[in-house]
Amino acid sequence: MRKTLGLALGAGGARGVAHIGFLKALEENGIRPDYISGSSMGSIVGACCAKGMKADDMKEIIQKLKANDIVDIGILPLSKLGLMKWTKTRRLLSSFLEDCQFSDLKIPFCCVAVDIRSGTLQVFSEGSVTDAILASSSMPTVFRPVEKDGMLLVDGGVLCRVPVRQVKKMGADVVVAVDVLGPCLPSDKPSNMISLITRVYDIMDSARTADERRKTRRIADLWLEPDMPGVSQYTVKYHSSAYDAGYKLGRENADTIKALLKEEA
């Protein structure tokens, strides 16, 4: 009997489209995950996969996505802890996830978010899938935090960019981590305050993730990073190069993953 496979799909905004390409390559090679964990954009793609959606269906949705489908700026946004409301995004996610519960999913799935009241990482594997992935994807200052069970939840990537430990805890024998952000590369001088803030966030996030990768090297059997220079995570526009990079990464590592799954426990 083969080992069980767990996929840890990392945060990455628009770069998270690479997860879809990666899953497409796995599909073509007959590789099906037994467990999935996700953070931020990885939680959205992971939930869709766990629901039973094919990579082609996800790709079609993301290709048609426009900024107006997500952008929903409310009245007095500066007093609401975030520029945008979740109304449009919730409606969009609910439409193809069919307001399902975690218990309805075909593949066991969990995602992470951060409670800013307690300052702790929260793992969700029960209840509404849409509520959980909205919380996991709530980029601070851009989207309003999600209130749930007395918590005020923001993007899981704040503390956990790639939820490796979480998918291992679910029961995966083999863990494949997909980090679509990778290391923080040199950049031009920030042009404004927003670009300065995002640059500082990226530097901190990269350093923390590098440290976490070292700590989990005995847990993650493969830590993969697709190569997609020039693709910013801070856009809504679909980047075919991100999908292609994920697909290429999946094809290149399919045989390695198969070999890992065949090894004796």
Side-chain angles (χ1 to χ4, degrees):
M1 182 178 295
R2 76 164 180 85
K3 291 183 176 182
T4 57
L5 171 63
L7 296 182
L9 305 181
R15 291 171 66 93
V17 171
H19 290 311
I20 302 175
F22 184 79
L23 290 173
K24 174 64 175 178
L26 296 193
E27 287 177 10
E28 291 181 347
N29 281 274
I31 301 172
R32 180 182 185 274
D34 300 285
Y35 304 95
I36 304 172
S37 66
S39 180
S40 198
M41 184 60 176
S43 75
I44 297 175
V45 176
C48 290
C49 180
K51 180 69 167 58
M53 290 180 65
K54 296 297 185 182
D56 286 343
D57 297 327
M58 289 184 249
K59 182 182 179 183
E60 182 178 357
I61 291 172
I62 204 75
Q63 282 179 315
K64 294 179 179 179
L65 190 65
K66 299 177 182 178
N68 190 52
D69 296 326
I70 296 176
V71 176
D72 190 10
I73 299 178
I75 300 174
L76 301 175
L78 295 181
S79 67
K80 297 296 183 179
L81 303 182
L83 294 174
M84 293 196 290
K85 299 184 293 182
W86 278 113
T87 308
K88 288 185 177 181
T89 306
R90 179 182 292 277
R91 188 183 304 122
L92 178 69
L93 292 175
S94 296
S95 66
F96 52 81
L97 287 174
E98 301 174 329
D99 290 319
C100 69
Q101 303 289 301
F102 278 86
S103 57
D104 298 323
L105 299 175
K106 297 179 180 180
I107 300 173
F109 167 73
C110 75
C111 63
V112 294
V114 175
D115 176 21
I116 60 174
R117 286 196 170 111
S118 65
T120 58
L121 186 71
Q122 302 293 320
V123 181
F124 294 97
S125 58
E126 297 179 345
S128 166
V129 174
T130 299
D131 285 350
I133 62 178
L134 285 177
S136 183
S137 307
S138 183
M139 184 179 294
T141 72
V142 176
F143 286 102
R144 296 177 183 178
V146 173
E147 295 193 53
K148 180 179 175 65
D149 300 330
M151 297 180 288
L152 200 57
L153 300 163
V154 297
D155 200 300
V158 169
L159 287 179
C160 181
R161 190 162 94 188
V162 188
V164 170
R165 300 175 189 272
Q166 289 72 21
V167 79
K168 184 68 175 181
K169 189 174 181 179
M170 293 175 76
D173 297 317
V174 174
V175 174
V176 176
V178 184
D179 180 12
V180 298
L181 291 177
C184 188
L185 302 175
S187 173
D188 295 332
K189 177 182 177 181
S191 58
N192 53 51
M193 183 176 67
I194 298 300
S195 61
L196 173 62
I197 292 172
T198 57
R199 179 61 179 170
V200 170
Y201 180 83
D202 288 346
I203 292 170
M204 295 171 62
D205 179 43
S206 180
R208 184 181 61 253
T209 303
D211 182 58
E212 181 65 11
R213 179 180 179 180
R214 287 191 292 270
K215 292 177 180 178
T216 60
R217 62 182 180 273
R218 294 183 179 178
I219 299 175
D221 297 271
L222 280 178
W223 183 289
L224 305 176
E225 298 176 356
D227 182 26
M228 43 183 159
V231 179
S232 170
Q233 65 169 312
Y234 302 110
T235 63
V236 176
K237 180 181 177 182
Y238 168 78
H239 288 276
S240 60
S241 59
Y243 175 89
D244 293 342
Y247 179 73
K248 180 175 182 287
L249 189 74
R251 284 181 61 92
E252 290 175 344
N253 289 277
D255 287 343
T256 300
I257 295 172
K258 288 179 181 180
L260 287 168
L261 296 176
K262 288 180 179 178
E263 293 174 2
E264 295 182 1

